Amino acid sequence: MEEQNSLSTDFLPTGVPGLDDVLTGGLTKDRLYLVEGEPGTGKTTLALQFLNEGVRRGEATLYITLAETRVELLSVAQSHGWSMDGIHIEEIIPDEKALDPDQQYTIFHPSEIELGNTTQRILGAIDRYQPRRVVLDSLSELQLLAESPLRYRRQVLALKQYLSSRNCTTIFLDDRTALSTDLQVRSVAHGVMTLELADQAYGAERRRLRVVKYRGVAFRGGSHDYKIIKGGLYVYPRLVAATTRESSSRRQLSSGLPALDALLGGGLEEGMSTLLSGPSGTGKSSLTAQFVHAATQRGEKCAMFLFEEARNNMLNRCANLGFNLSGAIDAGLLSVQQIDPAELSPGEFSSAVMLAVEQGARIVVIDSLNGYLNAVPDERFLIVHLHELLTYLGQRGVVSMLVGVQSGVMGANMTSAVDASYLADNIIMLRYFEADGEVRQAISVFKKRGSSHERTLRRFEISSSGLHVGPVLKDFHGVLTGVPTFHGPAAIQPPTL
């Protein structure tokens, strides 16, 4: 039963972006595969991509449909901008004559005749077109015609042997609409892929692909996000940071502000993640823009991912501070992506970050961490996704900067939506404090793994001329509470920058 006509270990590309990475190469030639999923998960789309890839490679292809009509298949292809030229379509579906009472069977049960006729038409189409890639849509029809599990299994086994003996790489589609769930084909197939569709409390539905089984191949396990867009399925392989380890010398990246670099012990080390924490308006996003501006001035590429602030607003705000980020974008040194939280999936976001790194980004900014975590509220392990992403960035020597917004404005009871401090190698804290009838800002470095750093609290100011890090607030006590006490000279003199 398991003997094949060849022992080939060659892989066929599926034509689905990202899927070959999950399968670690593609589909083994001359084998039978099962793609299962409820209606609407994209099985037909995946199958057509598989066949179109075969046409592109000069292979004969065949789509055997037991449910959808030729017109419906052409409509699906047209919606994705595909041509069906080169794909042979064999319709094996009942026509309107089946509604005629005179055509109803009386002596034999319908399944006894219809299953035999269906099988003969399938074999006839294969002999006629001699395909190298075959899709059978769908198994539910065969299961209903076979009626008994034994007859159904024997039918599938016979088709498997027939197809493999003719060097066909075959995909069976199962829409799970038969009367009973049956695992017969899973045991027979060389590989099994499941497409899942999960509703979200808000926003678009979440689509996941999972390889249940693939004999003799160390595929990438787990669930992988995918989307159906114009052009077909696009799979975002689950990020596994352990597969991307690289060793390299790590240097410090300057912020462009000598006082800030001194506070940081020289700058931010490559391969380290930095969390900028503080209440809204303290300058966290502006501080990340300062690092990005300095890096692009040195000719280094950067990438910014915005979850909350609009892209144009960010660029205009930075221009008012003297940062010409628009010029960096035009020069190809900076990419700024505004993320739509309602349409996000963790896999898609990770793929976007990885693409930016592959294109040479040395600094990656996620603004903000709160927006990222709120983007997929139903995702239980989103913080694990983030940890894996930061590990990947660290192993590639990228400086990653996370903006974390704390609730409240002043006081010691300010809290964050999530305690992500353990994820970050460095923590920069920004605070408001009141002094001399004025609300001021302070900056300090609470944690830094790459090098020693100052333990001081310094004045921080944002003006039309940019960012300024001032002197140590040594005359104040309790700055972190927001309402400090002054222990300096009797006449309070605001610190000068």
Side-chain angles (χ1 to χ4, degrees):
M1 179 178 67
E2 292 299 329
E3 292 180 359
Q4 302 287 349
N5 61 305
S6 71
L7 297 176
S8 172
T9 56
D10 294 338
F11 289 102
L12 288 181
T14 61
V16 180
L19 182 55
D20 290 347
D21 291 337
V22 174
L23 299 172
T24 60
L27 299 179
T28 308
K29 290 175 60 177
D30 308 334
R31 304 295 189 264
L32 171 66
Y33 300 90
L34 172 65
V35 175
E36 57 183 17
E38 297 179 353
T41 51
K43 299 181 303 299
T44 300
T45 304
L46 184 151
L48 290 177
Q49 285 176 269
F50 171 71
L51 296 182
N52 269 300
E53 177 65 19
V55 172
R56 191 184 68 81
R57 297 167 63 86
E59 300 169 354
T61 62
L62 173 62
Y63 195 110
I64 302 172
T65 173
L66 307 182
E68 293 187 83
T69 65
R70 175 187 295 270
V71 173
E72 289 172 323
L73 289 174
L74 293 176
S75 178
V76 172
Q78 185 178 21
S79 68
H80 290 288
W82 300 330
S83 169
M84 293 291 283
D85 295 341
I87 299 179
H88 302 291
I89 302 175
E90 184 72 14
E91 277 186 276
I92 307 178
I93 56 178
D95 56 24
E96 62 273 12
K97 293 181 180 180
L99 302 175
D100 185 354
D102 294 336
Q103 300 294 323
Q104 303 298 316
Y105 304 111
T106 55
I107 300 177
F108 300 100
H109 193 279
S111 65
E112 297 181 30
I113 298 177
E114 293 177 10
L115 180 60
N117 291 340
T118 298
T119 302
Q120 289 303 315
R121 293 184 63 180
I122 291 174
L123 302 184
I126 295 169
D127 285 340
R128 184 162 60 254
Y129 297 114
Q130 298 292 312
R132 288 295 170 263
R133 298 189 185 213
V134 178
V135 170
L136 177 64
D137 182 10
S138 76
L139 285 178
S140 296
E141 305 299 325
L142 282 181
Q143 186 176 0
L144 292 172
L145 287 174
E147 290 190 323
S148 72
L150 176 61
R151 192 179 186 191
Y152 175 56
R153 180 179 177 86
R154 287 181 174 176
Q155 189 74 15
V156 171
L157 280 171
L159 284 174
K160 172 187 176 182
Q161 292 298 97
Y162 185 83
L163 288 162
S164 64
S165 67
R166 283 156 178 78
N167 300 105
C168 295
T169 305
T170 308
I171 291 180
F172 281 1
L173 304 183
D174 186 2
D175 57 15
R176 297 175 172 174
T177 58
L179 296 178
S180 61
T181 302
D182 191 83
L183 301 180
Q184 298 282 356
V185 184
R186 279 194 177 187
S187 66
V188 172
H190 188 74
V192 179
M193 287 179 282
T194 298
L195 304 181
E196 301 172 352
L197 184 64
D199 293 330
Q200 301 291 308
Y202 178 78
E205 65 277 356
R206 178 87 178 275
R207 299 178 183 272
R208 297 186 182 94
L209 177 145
R210 186 166 56 92
V211 179
V212 178
K213 163 189 172 183
Y214 195 177
R215 286 181 181 142
V217 176
F219 58 88
R220 188 176 297 188
S223 295
H224 310 273
D225 292 319
Y226 75 92
K227 292 185 73 174
I228 302 178
I229 57 178
K230 185 176 176 61
L233 266 71
Y234 199 107
V235 179
Y236 304 100
R238 182 174 62 85
L239 176 61
V240 181
T243 63
T244 64
R245 287 179 181 154
E246 293 184 0
S247 59
S248 61
S249 59
R250 296 185 175 182
R251 57 194 177 95
Q252 285 186 324
L253 299 186
S254 171
S255 66
L257 297 176
L260 180 57
D261 289 343
L263 186 65
L264 290 166
L268 294 179
E269 286 77 15
E270 291 180 321
M272 296 291 184
S273 57
T274 301
L275 173 66
L276 295 92
S277 182
S280 299
T282 49
K284 300 179 298 298
S285 297
S286 299
L287 200 55
T288 63
Q290 172 69 52
F291 276 93
V292 169
H293 173 66
T296 56
Q297 290 294 303
R298 297 190 297 265
E300 298 172 344
K301 290 186 177 182
C302 303
M304 303 179 74
F305 297 90
L306 309 179
F307 286 84
E308 297 173 359
E309 188 176 14
R311 184 177 186 270
N312 288 338
N313 291 346
M314 187 276 293
L315 293 176
N316 291 333
R317 175 174 54 78
C318 291
N320 293 334
L321 296 174
F323 305 151
N324 183 20
L325 297 189
S326 296
I329 294 175
D330 296 337
L333 294 173
L334 174 63
S335 65
V336 180
Q337 297 186 40
Q338 184 176 340
I339 305 297
D340 184 354
E343 303 298 323
L344 177 79
S345 70
E348 182 179 0
F349 176 67
S350 297
S351 294
V353 174
M354 292 172 65
L355 178 61
V357 173
E358 289 171 2
Q359 293 175 346
R362 304 310 302 155
I363 295 180
V364 170
V365 175
I366 300 177
D367 188 0
S368 68
L369 179 62
N370 307 65
Y372 172 75
L373 296 176
N374 291 331
V376 192
D378 294 339
E379 179 59 52
R380 293 175 53 199
F381 302 106
L382 196 58
I383 199 71
V384 180
H385 282 276
L386 180 60
H387 180 271
E388 199 76 2
L389 179 60
L390 293 179
T391 302
Y392 163 81
L393 293 172
Q395 292 172 170
R396 299 297 293 264
V398 176
V399 172
S400 52
M401 305 186 74
L402 310 174
V403 174
V405 181
Q406 292 183 312
S407 60
V409 177
M410 293 184 179
N413 296 323
M414 288 188 295
T415 58
S416 300
V418 60
D419 182 13
S421 60
Y422 78 95
L423 293 175
D425 300 304
N426 314 318
I427 299 178
I428 299 176
M429 191 75 71
L430 296 165
R431 280 285 190 267
Y432 288 118
F433 70 99
E434 177 190 350
D436 200 22
E438 180 184 355
V439 176
R440 303 173 184 174
Q441 290 147 277
I443 184 171
S444 59
V445 178
F446 269 45
K447 170 186 174 183
K448 193 163 189 288
R449 288 177 176 161
S451 66
S452 59
H453 63 92
E454 287 189 12
R455 310 289 299 180
T456 58
L457 287 166
R458 288 183 175 269
R459 177 79 183 275
F460 182 67
E461 187 177 46
I462 303 174
S463 68
S464 58
S465 60
L467 308 184
H468 306 276
V469 176
V472 178
L473 298 170
K474 59 183 178 181
D475 293 332
F476 292 88
H477 175 72
V479 172
L480 297 181
T481 67
V483 186
T485 57
F486 182 73
H487 294 287
I492 299 178
Q493 299 294 330
T496 58
L497 299 176

